[in-house]
Amino acid sequence: MSTATKSNHIGRKISRIRELKDMKQEALAQALGINQQSVSAMENSETIDDKKLAEVAKALGVSVEAIKNFTEENMINYFNNFYDNSCSGANGMFHANYCSFNPLDKVIELYERMVQAEKEKVEYLEKLLKEK
């Protein structure tokens, strides 16, 4: 089998992406509303129609282009770059991920929403009591 044929085999690409996401055929089948045997047949198909490919991409949480352009080399490069960027600190220590927002602001927002929800509950209960 030639390398070109192997790299353009959409079914194998779907299978590999599914495996990388630690998803079983049964789970993909359920997400697509089909049975496991249909997923198996699809993964053995060299081509898949665009509508079905879009459904599969959505179920896998990737884009159609990600499936079409998937190669093992791309995945290796992706993970190597991820590792290089994550572990380049002293003694291989991970760098902390820095937020683009102030986490304290998010806590305050959440607290304010919770207080508002409680106020609305109290008002609703007071209204119910007055009606009785």
Side-chain angles (χ1 to χ4, degrees):
M1 183 179 293
S2 73
T3 309
T5 304
K6 192 172 184 181
S7 66
N8 289 328
H9 196 289
I10 295 293
R12 282 194 199 107
K13 292 178 180 188
I14 290 169
S15 174
R16 192 65 184 117
I17 292 169
R18 177 184 56 75
E19 290 167 354
L20 287 168
K21 291 186 156 284
D22 200 24
M23 180 185 276
K24 296 196 177 294
Q25 283 185 340
E26 293 83 5
L28 181 56
Q30 186 175 11
L32 295 171
I34 59 178
N35 60 30
Q36 180 269 327
Q37 291 82 1
S38 298
V39 171
S40 179
M42 176 180 59
E43 289 181 353
N44 287 315
S45 300
E46 280 193 51
T47 59
I48 296 172
D49 69 80
D50 289 340
K51 182 181 177 191
K52 186 57 137 182
L53 187 59
E55 292 173 15
V56 171
K58 184 176 179 184
L60 289 172
V62 298
S63 67
V64 171
E65 291 75 26
I67 295 174
K68 288 181 177 180
N69 297 327
F70 176 84
T71 65
E72 294 292 330
E73 286 179 34
N74 288 346
M75 288 307 299
I76 291 168
N77 289 337
Y78 171 80
F79 284 112
N80 282 343
N81 288 337
F82 180 80
Y83 179 79
D84 290 345
N85 291 334
S86 297
C87 301
S88 58
N91 298 325
M93 299 297 291
F94 288 101
H95 287 292
N97 290 329
Y98 295 101
C99 297
S100 59
F101 58 88
N102 184 345
L104 189 56
D105 290 341
K106 295 295 181 183
V107 171
I108 291 170
E109 280 180 38
L110 177 61
Y111 179 76
E112 288 173 346
R113 285 195 312 244
M114 290 172 60
V115 168
Q116 183 59 38
E118 289 300 315
K119 284 181 182 177
E120 290 170 4
K121 282 184 203 173
V122 168
E123 288 173 8
Y124 177 72
L125 291 172
E126 286 175 345
K127 181 181 169 188
L128 286 176
L129 286 172
K130 287 180 184 176
E131 290 177 1
K132 289 186 177 187

